[in-house]
Amino acid sequence: MTFGTDERLKSYLDTNQLQRERMCTAVLALDKRFTKVRPRHPRGGPDGGRDIEAVLSGEQKTFGAIGFVNQANDSTDHKKKAQKKFAADLASAAAADPEIKAFVLFTNVNLTAGEKNALVEKATKSGLAYCEIFDRERIRLVLDGADGMAIRFQSLGIPMSDAEQATFFARWGDDIQSVIVDGFSEIKRSLNRMQFCMR
């Protein structure tokens, strides 16, 4: 499914900023280092370069920016757009909140290791303790993993293959079963309580 996910990330969400933000928020939430992950304006609108808010390692205030381009093709122009988005949103976030300690960029443009290192260096020189770049390949790796397949289906409309379903249920089957059993148990307790109160 690697090719399909890569292709969908390039253009499937063109002009759909709301779904882009939802997908990137979900991807960041899968990273156990980040907690309290939430979109700042889930319905869209001006956010001052801060699409996502989170906490890194339990203490570092983090902002995330989403720098997707339409019909991404990894051209020099598209790389410059992603880099420009990074610089503008980093500056906006730092100006808006001096407590920011970490910054994350999501982009559907593939960047080289050197290009990502240059962005991270720019962030650390501005005083941040941590910076991370989720380019298209990094996002794809998350979405094609067992933890990200549900997000991939919801965001990009890519169904799971038989092999992926087996992997997904091997990873999450017990948790899903537990949620169902606990849910039914709670319903039963509520019904019993209602019957008791009606007597």
Side-chain angles (χ1 to χ4, degrees):
M1 202 49 70
T2 299
F3 177 75
T5 306
D6 188 72
E7 287 303 304
R8 291 280 174 107
L9 283 169
K10 288 179 183 178
S11 60
Y12 188 75
L13 298 176
D14 282 0
T15 72
N16 191 343
Q17 185 64 16
L18 174 61
Q19 192 58 39
R20 287 172 175 174
E21 289 188 20
R22 286 178 175 167
M23 180 183 73
C24 294
T25 301
V27 166
L28 189 62
L30 287 178
D31 190 322
K32 302 297 186 219
R33 297 170 299 164
F34 294 92
T35 56
K36 299 181 182 175
V37 180
R38 64 181 182 84
R40 292 198 64 247
H41 285 276
R43 288 287 172 196
D47 53 31
R50 295 163 287 159
D51 298 307
I52 300 171
E53 194 171 310
V55 176
L56 172 65
S57 302
E59 58 185 28
Q60 294 178 317
K61 189 169 193 175
T62 305
F63 287 129
I66 298 164
F68 276 44
V69 298
N70 295 335
Q71 301 292 314
N73 59 23
D74 305 334
S75 64
T76 301
D77 180 51
H78 282 185
K79 289 184 178 203
K80 284 182 181 175
K81 282 183 180 178
Q83 292 161 342
K84 184 176 178 182
K85 172 73 170 168
F86 173 88
D89 284 3
L90 175 63
S92 294
D97 192 335
E99 292 183 20
I100 181 177
K101 299 295 183 196
F103 190 78
V104 180
L105 173 73
F106 288 88
T107 181
N108 63 339
V109 176
N110 270 342
L111 300 171
T112 66
E115 289 164 340
K116 288 187 272 191
N117 288 341
L119 294 177
V120 170
E121 187 176 338
K122 184 180 289 188
T124 53
K125 281 184 177 176
S126 75
L128 294 189
Y130 181 83
C131 178
E132 188 140 5
I133 310 298
F134 282 78
D135 67 349
R136 189 175 71 245
E137 178 61 12
R138 176 88 182 274
I139 296 169
R140 184 202 65 74
L141 287 170
V142 174
L143 295 178
D144 284 343
D147 292 347
M149 289 177 194
I151 300 167
R152 186 187 72 190
F153 177 72
Q154 290 172 328
S155 301
L156 302 178
I158 299 174
M160 288 184 271
S161 68
D162 290 345
E164 287 174 332
Q165 288 181 46
T167 301
F168 178 83
F169 285 108
R171 170 76 173 90
W172 293 106
D174 289 343
D175 291 339
I176 292 169
Q177 182 66 26
S178 176
V179 167
I180 292 170
V181 169
D182 290 348
F184 282 132
S185 296
E186 186 59 37
I187 291 170
K188 186 175 181 182
R189 277 193 294 276
S190 297
L191 288 173
N192 288 341
R193 176 100 175 115
M194 287 171 58
Q195 288 175 342
F196 176 79
C197 291
M198 293 172 70
R199 290 181 182 166

